[in-house]
Structures are given as C-alpha cells and as structure tokens.
C-alpha cells in the first residue's frame, strides 16, 4: 500500500508542476498570438519552450527530488524529451486546428493533455529524473 500511495503522491505533484508549466505555456501562446499577432504555430512553440523551462525546474527540485543528480545530465535528458514534446505539441496543435477549423487554443489543449500524460510524465519519471548519475 505504501508504494501505491507514493505513486499517487508523485503523480499528483507532477500534475501540479505540469499545470504550472501549462499555465506559463498557454499564457505565452495567447499573449503572443492574440495580442502581439505572432503566427499561432510560432506562438505555440515559444509557449511550449517557456512552459517546459518552468516544468523542468519544478520537477527537478520538488516533484522527483533529483537534487542528487548532476544538473547537466538532467538538462541533456530533459532537452531530448522536451524537444520531442515540443514537436508533438506543435504538430498536434497544427493538425487539429487545421483539420477541424477550431480555434487554435482548443487544439492546443487537446494536444497538450495527450502529450502530458502519454509522453511527458512517463519520460520524466522513467528517464529524465531517474537517478542514474548521482553526485554523491
């Protein structure tokens, strides 16, 4: 039962971190696209980069307790996973928006949920923040 509760707590903390990253992502995307007039695909990319940076910092310190890992290893692994996440989010947003004709933020939200659960959380837990290179 202890392992189950730990997994629930870990997933819950990861979701809080993801929500903060997503809030950053969507805020940047909307500000750039709607207020400044940046093409929505570019705004989606910039938003994803901003949100990813917030998420990485929170995950490193609070969610996965990775303080014992060399930062450069975490950053390299995170960049790899993050790069694929950005491509998935950008391509998914474009495809849903263009194929359905909906406002880009709906396509962004649907894509974001799928990528967050199916790609980001799994890769963060099992690859990025897995303690493979401790400093001690």
């Amino acid at each position: 039962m202890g392992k189950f509760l730990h997994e629930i707590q870990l997933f819950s903390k990861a979701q809080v971190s993801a929500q903060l990253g997503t809030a950053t992502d969507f805020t940047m995307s909307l500000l750039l696209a709607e207020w400044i007039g940046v093409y929505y695909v570019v705004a989606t990319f910039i938003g994803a980069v901003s949100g990813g940076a917030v998420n990485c910092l929170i995950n490193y310190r609070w969610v996965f307790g990775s303080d014992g890992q060399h930062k450069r290893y975490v950053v390299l692994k995170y960049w790899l996973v993050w790069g694929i996440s950005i491509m998935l989010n950008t391509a998914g947003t474009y495809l849903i928006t263009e194929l359905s004709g909906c406002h880009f933020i709906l396509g962004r939200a649907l894509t974001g949920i799928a990528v967050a659960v199916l790609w980001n959380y799994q890769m963060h837990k099992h690859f990025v923040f897995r303690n493979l290179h401790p400093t001690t």
Side-chain angles (χ1 to χ4, degrees), residues 87-108:
M87 288 188 286
L88 291 170
N89 276 296
T90 303
T93 300
Y94 174 78
L95 288 172
I96 291 172
T97 302
E98 295 299 317
L99 294 176
S100 73
C102 67
H103 189 273
F104 89 94
I105 206 66
L106 178 61
R108 180 70 191 90

Side-chain angles (χ1 to χ4, degrees), residues 8 16 21 24 37-38 46-48 66 74 96-98 101 114 119-120 125:
I8 295 294
V16 169
T24 303
V38 174
I46 294 169
S66 301
V74 172
I96 291 172
T97 302
E98 295 299 317
W119 175 256
N120 293 347
K125 179 181 175 189

Side-chain angles (χ1 to χ4, degrees), residues 3 8 21 25 42 55 66 80 83 89 91 93 117:
K3 183 175 171 119
I8 295 294
D25 177 345
V42 174
N55 182 247
S66 301
L80 175 64
N89 276 296
T93 300
V117 173

